Amino acid sequence: MKPTIKHSLVVPCFNEAENIEAFFAAVETAMQGYTDAYEIVFINDGSSDDTQAKLEGLYEQHRDRYIQIIRFSRNFGKEAAMLAGLRAAKGEYVTIIDADLQQRPEIAVEMGKLLDGQPDVDMVAAFQQERKESKLIEACKELFYKLLNRMSEVDIIPDASDFRTLRRPVVQTVLSLSEYHRFSKGIFSWIGYNTVSIPYEPDDRLAGKSKWNFWKLLRYAVGGIVAYTDFPLKLPVIFGFALLIIAAVTTVVLLILSLLGHEIAGAWWVSCLVSAVSSALAFGQGVLGLYLGKVHTQVKQRPVYIVKEKRSYEQD
Ligand code: UDP
Ligand code: MG
């Protein structure tokens, strides 16, 4: 059975058992009067709760609907889940949407209608109008996007989320990028295309906790910077150069002073300089290591994720 799908929803799920059914119901309601030719691609990103059972329950119960379930062998992260979903999705439009109903399916329909009405628009991105996050996380995110935009050649709109709808050609373009360390917000902006942003207000999570915490976000941010710009690689060069100048000036000044007959007591500045230089070197090595690590995994050509099990309406 190979139906023509108008709209695909790609739904990364990590321990979302309590939300799956409500999410599905909300999608059904939202799609009413818009299209029947929609599919839902659930990616079970190595959940340790009942997510898989809930998904299979849905699948069995709604054989008349187009549902795919991709089950990872372990937790590979949302980026990997989104990639798997984009690969599996068949629709003319593809929306990436969370399972926790913070992002309402009605907005996905709104995005679809916008694409229907405006053929020159390639992608619709939702951005959060009002964040429901702690002040610390909010401030960190702001700083992160400021830094990233300063350093990289493309602008990433702060507050942009992965919640967006892509036309088929845009999906193919995203899939044609073979990088291992995926940072979707960067990719979506780097590929260009005509993008329209619409504001949305995230609802509260229906059930469960956010999978992010400060450290996970920090790792994501560092990963994003390393994946998206090679600016940090240049930092040690700047530091090194500045230190070299300081050293040179100091040497010249001291040389002149001693030539003029001044006695220079103590050599405390030598140790300062030595430690400054060695810390700069160490820092540089650390940065190099970060990049080498990325090159290393890319060279290994490991898959971004491993699918353990797959069910799809297409197999029936
Ligand atoms: N998610 C995932 N793998 C992960 C972490 C999260 O597939 O390792 C999914 C999660 O199930 C949800 C979406 O990504 O559907 C967004 O996660 P979450 O709600 O925790 O993030 P937040 O909304 O707090 O930014
Ligand atoms: Mg959420």
Side-chain angles (χ1 to χ4, degrees):
M1 180 177 63
K2 283 233 155 72
T4 314
I5 304 286
K6 176 182 166 81
H7 203 139
S8 305
L9 301 180
V10 165
V11 196
C13 306
F14 178 48
N15 295 339
E16 300 285 6
E18 291 165 282
N19 295 323
I20 302 284
E21 275 156 13
F23 174 81
F24 182 79
V27 171
E28 277 201 313
T29 314
M31 289 289 176
Q32 259 167 32
Y34 170 58
T35 181
D36 262 341
Y38 67 89
E39 70 169 349
I40 312 182
V41 185
F42 289 105
I43 303 91
N44 178 0
D45 183 14
S47 300
S48 54
D49 66 353
D50 284 341
T51 298
Q52 185 66 21
K54 290 278 182 201
L55 290 175
E56 281 175 13
L58 266 192
Y59 184 89
E60 294 300 337
Q61 217 184 329
H62 300 277
R63 288 271 183 169
D64 53 326
R65 290 277 173 225
Y66 305 126
I67 299 178
Q68 301 193 49
I69 306 169
I70 298 169
R71 183 185 190 182
F72 284 180
S73 60
R74 63 167 169 85
N75 180 244
F76 281 91
K78 191 184 173 189
E79 287 288 343
M82 290 192 288
L83 177 64
L86 288 178
R87 281 184 180 155
K90 300 284 181 306
E92 204 40 52
Y93 305 158
V94 181
T95 300
I96 299 167
I97 183 168
D98 291 353
D100 56 13
L101 284 175
Q102 282 194 286
Q103 305 170 340
R104 301 293 311 175
E106 289 79 13
I107 300 168
V109 171
E110 208 179 292
M111 293 182 186
K113 286 181 179 164
L114 196 149
L115 290 177
D116 280 342
Q118 300 190 39
D120 56 319
V121 174
D122 303 306
M123 176 160 48
V124 189
F127 67 91
Q128 292 186 21
Q129 219 167 12
E130 205 178 297
R131 292 221 201 92
K132 292 182 174 169
E133 286 163 334
S134 78
K135 282 272 176 284
L136 175 68
I137 291 206
E138 202 172 304
C140 290
K141 280 191 175 171
E142 213 150 282
L143 181 72
F144 167 65
Y145 285 111
K146 261 203 192 126
L147 273 175
L148 195 61
N149 284 336
R150 184 67 46 104
M151 288 190 278
S152 66
E153 62 196 273
V154 287
D155 265 0
I156 297 165
I157 306 168
D159 302 346
S161 58
D162 299 317
F163 186 23
R164 57 183 66 222
T165 304
L166 290 62
R167 270 188 210 277
R168 175 56 42 192
V170 183
V171 176
Q172 295 317 119
T173 304
V174 170
L175 293 180
S176 72
L177 304 182
S178 60
E179 59 217 74
Y180 180 88
H181 295 283
R182 301 188 78 84
F183 176 59
S184 286
K185 289 188 184 87
I187 290 176
F188 291 138
S189 137
W190 184 86
I191 55 171
Y193 285 104
N194 187 7
T195 306
V196 167
S197 295
I198 58 168
Y200 85 103
E201 225 175 280
D203 282 353
D204 285 333
R205 206 170 218 290
L206 186 69
K209 276 198 308 217
S210 172
K211 273 82 198 173
W212 295 100
N213 57 37
F214 180 75
W215 294 110
K216 231 179 155 178
L217 273 175
L218 188 68
R219 223 171 57 195
Y220 176 75
V222 172
I225 289 176
V226 176
Y228 242 73
T229 128
D230 56 3
F231 182 77
L233 202 53
K234 297 170 191 153
L235 275 181
V237 182
I238 299 168
F239 271 122
F241 189 66
L243 279 169
L244 195 75
I245 296 207
I246 294 172
V249 170
T250 324
T251 315
V252 169
V253 169
L254 286 170
L255 202 68
I256 293 174
L257 284 177
S258 65
L259 282 178
L260 291 176
H262 288 273
E263 193 135 322
I264 303 148
W268 57 269
W269 58 272
V270 177
S271 52
C272 285
L273 207 61
V274 167
S275 62
V277 169
S278 51
S279 63
L281 284 176
F283 181 69
Q285 270 182 355
V287 173
L288 278 178
L290 278 180
Y291 283 87
L292 271 181
K294 303 281 168 187
V295 172
H296 184 63
T297 33
Q298 181 79 51
V299 167
K300 274 195 287 195
Q301 299 257 313
R302 285 223 182 126
V304 176
Y305 55 85
I306 294 163
V307 174
K308 180 168 152 189
E309 211 181 322
K310 202 173 164 175
R311 301 198 69 175
S312 166
Y313 57 89
E314 286 187 309
Q315 297 162 349
D316 295 341

